[in-house]
Every structure is written in C-alpha cells, then in structure tokens.
Amino acid sequence: MSFPDVRPRRLRTTPAMRRMVAEHRLHPADLILPAFVREGVSEPVPVSSMPGVVQHSRDSLRKAAVAAAGAGISGIMLFGVPEDAKKDAIGSPGTDPDGVLQVALRDVRAEVGDALVVMSDLCLDEVTDHGHCGVLDDRGRVDNDATLARYAEMALVQAEAGAHVLGPSGMMDGQIGHVRRALDAAGHQDVALLAYTAKYASAFYGPFREAVNSSLRGDRKAYQQDAPNAREALRELELDLAEGADMVMVKPGLPYLDILRRVADASPVPVAAYQISGEYAMVEAAAERGWLDRDRAIEETLTAFKRAGANLILTYWATEFAHRLTR
C-alpha cells in the first residue's frame, strides 16, 4: 500500500499553525459601518427585518459613531431617512442643508472629527416620494441627465456638511464625472468619491427598503445592472475610473464574488464590497433558528470578500466584528 508523501494537512494541525499560514487576514481597518438616521425620532427604531440594526436618532447615531471609532474600524456610511411628508418628486430633503442626512453628517463630524472616515450616500431613493434613484420624466422613467443635476446639488450640501467621502449609488451614466466637476468647481477637491461601480438589481436589497422607509413601487432594473452580466461591470469600472473615482465598489457582495474578483484584478484604486441587508438578514435569521453558527458564519462571509479582492468591506457587523478581532 502506498501512502502520500505530500500531506497538506500538516499545515492545518493546530489553531496556531492555521493562523501562521493564513493567506488572508481581516483587520478592523478593513471595515465600514453603514448606519441609518431617521428624522423626528428621539429613540432608535429597530429594523424588524435586520435584527440588531436600527434607524438611529441623532443622539444614538453619535454614540454609534464613537463606538465605531473606538473599535478601530475605518469609516461610517450614513443614510438619511426623512419624514414621509417631506419627500417629493425631486427629493428636496437631499439638497436641504437642514435635511436629515446633512444634519447627521454635521453631528458625526462634530462627535468624531477625523477619527472615522465619514461617508455619505449620494442618491435620491430615500428622499423621493416615488422611491427611485433619480428624477422621473413625463413617462415615469428615470431621467439620467436631469438626475445628474440633482446629484451635483446633493454633493455640494453633503460636502459642506462635512462628508469626507461621497458614495454616488444611483447607477446613472456619467454620475462620477458630473459630481467630481461640481465638487472641484466649488472648492471641494479633497472630498473623495466612492463609485458604486457594479451595483446589481437584486432581491437581496429587501430589508434595506424597510430600513430607509422606501416609497419604491416597481423596480430599478432599467438602471441597475442585470445579474447575468459580468463584462458590463468592467465597462462600468473603466468609465468610473476615467471620470475620477477614488475608490470603487461591488454591490451586493456574496452573490457577486466573481464580479468582485474581476473588478479587483482590474482596478488601480481601492475596491470595496457591500455586504447588503439581505445577506445580513439571512445569516441572522438562520442563526436565530439554530441552523448555523452565527459567529463563524459572519467571519466566513467577511473572509470571502477579502479573499475575492476587497480592500474595504461595508457590513452591518463592522463594530461588533472589529471587537472580536481585537479580543
């Protein structure tokens, strides 16, 4: 009987051995916390489809930002949830200097300064009464170029409110270049852009709709990417880089690890992955039912992003997991 001479299992024998030869390592600095802030509430409001996630009040958001900075994560990405009565067809709360997101940006910068990279979602979906990511034309379609004008206005108020990084997420053609030119013309050359380069129309956004009190009817398939397409993501990457993107992102995460790998291989700038609401909710729901080990599943999913080439990971577990890494 012949026995193997080469035994890869030798490098798996103990925790110390596995740790020593690990090819990829997670660090708190890899992580960014997405956070929701809701107008007009004095206490955090739980998001029922995302156990452990809340719509923050101004006060609880400041505390969450301090906790995130203390855990050593790199950034916080803010999403504003205005009162429904303030939403309109053009998303007026998005360009109101006193809109909920702009107030939150000022709050967080006042609380943590530069200890966190303060990031801001730049999109109209949370602030329009129709829930789409742009301005609608007279046929009910998203008007790409009219939307770019609104994005430029939003970018200026978000930059003036203190955002270090803006995340244009609507998948409008030309959005990075249009926003970059507006920022530079207004003297905000230091504000960086995180391009949502490959953002797919996905069923996994479901819980997010609750988190932002979305008014959406229908879908976003006419402007977000189609799941069967991979080469298209590289075309979007090429355009975003040419328009001045400082960082790029793939969203969702786990269902699109192949896209993340291709983007990471081609990108000369940092690459982010967004572990979105549905991915989070699946793990939490299965763990609640005892179907999987929650802590191991979280670590495994985050490691998958790192292995696929992500430099940065947006995850609702960011602060929690950062504490685990430093224990």
Side-chain angles (χ1 to χ4, degrees):
M1 182 180 292
S2 177
F3 294 99
D5 296 316
V6 178
R7 296 180 183 268
R9 286 179 55 186
R10 294 186 188 110
L11 300 184
R12 305 172 194 151
T13 52
T14 67
M17 179 70 78
R18 293 190 292 273
R19 185 169 61 248
M20 183 177 74
V21 301
E23 297 175 33
H24 299 89
R25 303 180 194 277
L26 290 162
H27 188 277
D30 300 331
L31 306 177
I32 296 166
L33 176 69
F36 309 103
V37 57
R38 180 171 173 174
E39 188 172 27
V41 298
S42 58
E43 298 291 337
V45 179
V47 179
S48 65
S49 55
M50 299 176 69
V53 174
V54 301
Q55 296 170 326
H56 283 287
S57 66
R58 290 179 63 184
D59 185 55
S60 69
L61 177 65
R62 287 191 289 262
K63 292 175 182 176
V66 170
I73 72 172
S74 286
I76 185 168
M77 171 68 83
L78 301 183
F79 297 84
V81 185
E83 295 175 351
D84 285 344
K86 294 184 178 180
K87 297 180 182 180
D88 59 23
I90 61 170
S92 295
T95 49
D96 180 356
D98 293 320
V100 59
L101 181 54
Q102 288 70 254
V103 170
L105 286 166
R106 292 194 292 270
D107 284 346
V108 171
R109 281 301 305 272
E111 196 72 37
V112 301
D114 295 331
L116 282 176
V117 178
V118 180
M119 312 170 86
S120 181
D121 180 59
L122 199 165
C123 197
L124 287 168
D125 59 325
E126 294 112 47
V127 291
T128 53
D129 56 11
H130 49 72
H132 277 287
C133 297
V135 178
L136 302 185
D137 63 18
D138 56 8
R139 295 173 59 186
R141 303 172 304 180
V142 173
D143 185 325
N144 190 94
D145 295 357
T147 299
L148 295 183
R150 292 293 291 147
Y151 285 0
E153 295 171 17
M154 294 176 71
L156 296 184
V157 297
Q158 291 181 7
E160 288 159 8
H164 296 105
V165 176
L166 307 184
S169 60
M171 289 300 288
M172 297 298 117
D173 294 338
Q175 63 185 13
I176 295 300
H178 200 80
V179 168
R180 182 74 272 162
R181 289 188 292 273
L183 289 170
D184 290 354
H188 295 297
Q189 293 91 343
D190 289 341
V191 175
L193 295 181
L194 168 60
Y196 282 58
T197 290
K199 183 179 181 182
Y200 285 84
S202 172
F204 289 91
Y205 297 125
F208 181 88
R209 306 275 161 79
E210 179 192 353
V212 297
N213 291 1
S214 175
S215 304
L216 180 67
R217 295 177 296 277
D219 59 50
R220 301 186 174 117
K221 292 181 179 180
Y223 46 99
Q224 293 179 354
Q225 285 181 244
D226 198 22
N229 295 347
R231 285 193 302 268
E232 184 180 37
L234 298 182
R235 186 184 187 197
E236 295 281 4
L237 173 65
E238 182 179 358
L239 290 167
D240 284 346
L241 291 172
E243 292 173 23
D246 299 289
M247 298 173 280
V248 297
M249 184 156 66
V250 174
K251 181 181 181 182
L254 290 178
Y256 296 91
L257 289 176
D258 60 319
I259 306 300
L260 176 58
R261 179 74 269 167
R262 292 177 71 161
V263 168
D265 286 343
S267 176
V269 301
V271 176
Y274 196 145
Q275 185 176 49
I276 67 169
S277 60
E279 301 171 55
Y280 173 93
M282 286 193 306
V283 171
E284 290 288 350
E288 183 181 352
R289 288 160 175 77
W291 294 345
L292 52 72
D293 182 316
R294 177 182 181 274
D295 288 353
R296 287 182 60 195
I298 292 170
E299 182 171 9
E300 193 171 335
T301 59
L302 296 177
T303 301
F305 298 130
K306 190 80 170 180
R307 193 178 62 244
N311 306 106
L312 302 168
I313 304 165
L314 284 80
T315 175
Y316 300 98
W317 289 304
T319 302
E320 174 191 341
F321 191 75
H323 283 300
R324 284 174 52 188
L325 288 172
T326 55
R327 279 205 299 260

